[in-house]
């Protein structure tokens, strides 16, 4: 009996006893003759794996219902398939599925699709093709190369191919950052060549904060979100940029001064690590600071009390930090000639930023600033008399001297 149910005479090698093989176009022995045909004529139960593979390649299923039957049947022969058979099927369009770019069913390769699952992110279904023909059929497809989920490398390549489209499918800055976190968590799984391409591509999200009265230049590819910030309305604009066009914010005070001309990275450790690995510079490395103390006031009881306070807080503070980050040891600072606090009439801080072909200079009054002398490496903490002392400025300026890569939270916890 052929695949259409019609009886005919067939050669011994052209007919089989398992009814399921008809889904691939093979003929089967008539049911009332099956037992005798198997015992007396030694009719094979299934076609050879090579023949079944050839039949699938020549006439792949066109509907999901048909595909389920075909793949369920082929699971019976899975143990007979050679590695070459399976490799050939992996690269052949044999699976009917809806792809993100198709309007209906189209044939895809096993190596180009993934299994649906309860934990499947709906976002990835907009980028990749997912299938599910039931557990039995899926066993065969898994052997042909269908996988459970896209690799980090594949997601990164999708991002590189169309950053704007990737963002559009994500639907929001927060959802896009969630994908970046996934990439960051498995960055070591990405090949060196792909990483190099990522460094040259506008794939990272940068944010610029501006006052509503002084909006950013037009041309941003992303929408803005407005939020009330005390008495002022601020605008946060997002842009997809190359890593080297975005700065890592390691100094919030400096960023506040230059935020209208900079795009900053998200202030999360995992994302900062990703941005840094792809070439985003730290803001602190782009700033040249020059402190100009005006009118030294000599010995001061306030300066002595501040020095004592700093040395009292340092032991616990440094104990909670990774020692590899610490550049200056507590014992060294306890020496009166190594760490000095000086009070001055005024303290002018001039910051110069050179980045992206632009140069900007900002002057401001500071209540405290730390610097190391060139000739004897003494650490001097200047304290201004004309404005109230800000302990955050004390902590922030000292952290720049204490650590190789200061973090935002260091200054908050000092």
């Amino acid at each position: 009996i052929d695949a259409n149910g019609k009886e005919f005479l067939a050669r011994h090698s052209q007919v089989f006893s398992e009814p399921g093989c008809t889904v691939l176009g093979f003929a089967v022995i008539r049911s009332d003759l099956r037992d005798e045909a198997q015992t007396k004529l030694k009719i094979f139960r299934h076609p050879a794996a090579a023949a079944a593979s050839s039949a699938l390649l020549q006439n792949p299923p066109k509907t999901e219902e048909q595909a389920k039957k075909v793949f369920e049947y082929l699971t019976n022969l899975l143990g007979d398939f050679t590695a070459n058979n399976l490799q050939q099927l992996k690269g052949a369009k044999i699976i009917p599925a809806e792809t993100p770019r198709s309007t209906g069913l189209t044939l895809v390769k096993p190596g180009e699709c993934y299994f649906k699952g309860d934990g499947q992110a709906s976002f990835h279904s907009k980028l990749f093709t997912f299938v599910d023909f039931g557990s039995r059929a899926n066993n065969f497809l898994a052997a042909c190369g269908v996988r459970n989920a896209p690799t980090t490398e594949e997601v990164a390549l999708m991002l590189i191919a169309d950053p704007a489209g990737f963002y559009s499918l994500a639907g929001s800055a927060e959802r896009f950052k969630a994908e970046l976190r996934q990439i960051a968590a498995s960055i070591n799984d990405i090949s060196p060549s792909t990483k190099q391409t990522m460094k040259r591509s506008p794939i990272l999200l940068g944010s610029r904060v501006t006052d509503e009265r002084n909006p950013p230049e037009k041309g941003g590819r992303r929408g803005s979100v407005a939020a009330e910030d005390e008495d002022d309305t601020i605008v946060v604009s997002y842009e997809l940029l190359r890593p080297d066009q975005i700065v890592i914010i390691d100094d919030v005070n400096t960023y506040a001064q230059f935020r209208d001309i900079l795009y900053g990275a998200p202030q999360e450790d995992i994302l900062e690590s990703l941005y840094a690995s792809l070439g985003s510079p730290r803001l602190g490395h782009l700033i040249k600071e020059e402190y100009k103390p005006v009118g030294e006031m000599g010995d001061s009881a306030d300066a002595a009390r501040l020095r004592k306070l700093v040395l009292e807080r340092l032991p616990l503070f440094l104990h909670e930090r990774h020692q590899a980050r610490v550049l200056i040891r507590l014992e060294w600072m306890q020496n009166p000639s190594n760490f000095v606090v000086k009070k001055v009439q005024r303290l002018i801080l001039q910051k110069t930023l050179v980045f992206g072909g632009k140069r900007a200079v900002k002057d401001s009054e500071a209540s405290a600033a730390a610097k190391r002398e060139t000739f004897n490496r003494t650490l001097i903490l200047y304290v201004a008399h004309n404005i109230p002392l800000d302990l955050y400025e004390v902590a922030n300026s000292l952290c720049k001297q204490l650590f190789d890569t200061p973090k935002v939270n260091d200054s908050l916890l000092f």
Side-chain angles (χ1 to χ4, degrees), residues 151-218:
T151 64
T152 305
E153 171 94 3
E154 289 169 329
V155 175
L157 289 172
M158 280 286 190
L159 173 58
I160 292 168
D162 185 8
F166 195 102
Y167 183 96
S168 178
L169 290 174
S172 69
E174 285 305 314
R175 190 68 190 85
F176 186 82
K177 284 191 286 186
E179 288 302 314
L180 292 182
R181 290 186 198 104
Q182 294 295 323
I183 292 174
S186 304
I187 189 67
N188 292 332
D189 296 335
I190 298 178
S191 66
S193 60
T194 298
K195 286 181 186 176
Q196 287 300 318
T197 306
M198 292 172 74
K199 290 179 179 181
R200 300 189 298 267
S201 305
I203 60 167
L204 297 184
L205 195 65
S207 63
R208 175 178 288 179
V209 182
T210 55
D211 191 293
E212 190 177 41
R213 291 166 296 184
N214 184 27
E217 297 177 2
K218 295 181 179 180

Side-chain angles (χ1 to χ4, degrees), residues 15-28:
V15 66
F16 305 95
S17 64
E18 174 57 50
C21 70
T22 57
V23 296
L24 286 171
F26 293 102
V28 294

Side-chain angles (χ1 to χ4, degrees), residues 141-371:
L141 293 178
C144 293
V146 178
R147 289 165 291 155
N148 289 325
T151 64
T152 305
E153 171 94 3
E154 289 169 329
V155 175
L157 289 172
M158 280 286 190
L159 173 58
I160 292 168
D162 185 8
F166 195 102
Y167 183 96
S168 178
L169 290 174
S172 69
E174 285 305 314
R175 190 68 190 85
F176 186 82
K177 284 191 286 186
E179 288 302 314
L180 292 182
R181 290 186 198 104
Q182 294 295 323
I183 292 174
S186 304
I187 189 67
N188 292 332
D189 296 335
I190 298 178
S191 66
S193 60
T194 298
K195 286 181 186 176
Q196 287 300 318
T197 306
M198 292 172 74
K199 290 179 179 181
R200 300 189 298 267
S201 305
I203 60 167
L204 297 184
L205 195 65
S207 63
R208 175 178 288 179
V209 182
T210 55
D211 191 293
E212 190 177 41
R213 291 166 296 184
N214 184 27
E217 297 177 2
K218 295 181 179 180
R221 287 188 291 269
R222 301 289 155 249
S224 299
V225 290
E228 292 297 325
D229 183 12
E230 297 182 353
D231 296 329
D232 298 323
T233 299
I234 63 170
V235 175
V236 181
S237 59
Y238 294 102
E239 186 80 28
L240 288 174
L241 300 166
R242 297 192 314 269
D244 63 357
Q245 295 174 309
I246 303 172
V247 300
I248 296 171
I249 304 167
D250 55 1
D251 183 341
V252 291
N253 279 345
T254 298
Y255 178 68
Q257 291 179 288
F258 295 96
R259 70 183 191 179
D260 59 329
I261 61 173
L262 291 174
Y263 280 98
Q267 291 176 267
E268 301 176 33
D269 286 348
I270 190 169
L271 291 180
E272 287 181 352
S273 296
L274 172 66
Y275 282 54
S277 70
L278 296 177
S280 293
R282 293 187 174 275
L283 178 57
H285 295 169
L286 303 173
I287 295 292
K288 179 182 178 182
E289 291 186 346
E290 184 178 356
Y291 292 96
K292 299 178 180 179
V294 180
E296 188 170 333
M297 299 179 66
D299 292 338
S300 163
D302 291 340
R305 282 194 295 270
L306 181 57
R307 184 180 188 277
K308 180 182 178 182
L309 177 64
V310 170
L311 293 177
E312 286 175 349
R313 293 189 178 184
L314 267 178
L316 179 59
F317 176 72
L318 293 177
H319 177 73
E320 295 174 345
R321 297 296 176 278
H322 195 287
Q323 293 304 300
R325 295 178 53 215
V326 181
L327 299 177
I328 301 176
R329 300 298 168 184
L330 174 62
E331 296 77 11
W332 183 90
M333 290 188 66
Q334 288 173 332
N335 187 321
S337 61
N338 290 337
F339 174 45
V340 178
V341 179
K342 292 183 178 182
K343 194 161 189 177
V344 294
Q345 291 287 351
R346 295 178 63 206
L347 188 59
I348 305 299
L349 172 57
Q350 184 178 86
K351 296 182 180 181
T352 303
L353 168 69
V354 179
F355 181 62
K358 297 180 180 179
R359 183 177 185 274
V361 179
K362 303 283 186 179
D363 285 345
S364 61
E365 293 272 358
S367 71
K371 64 180 293 187

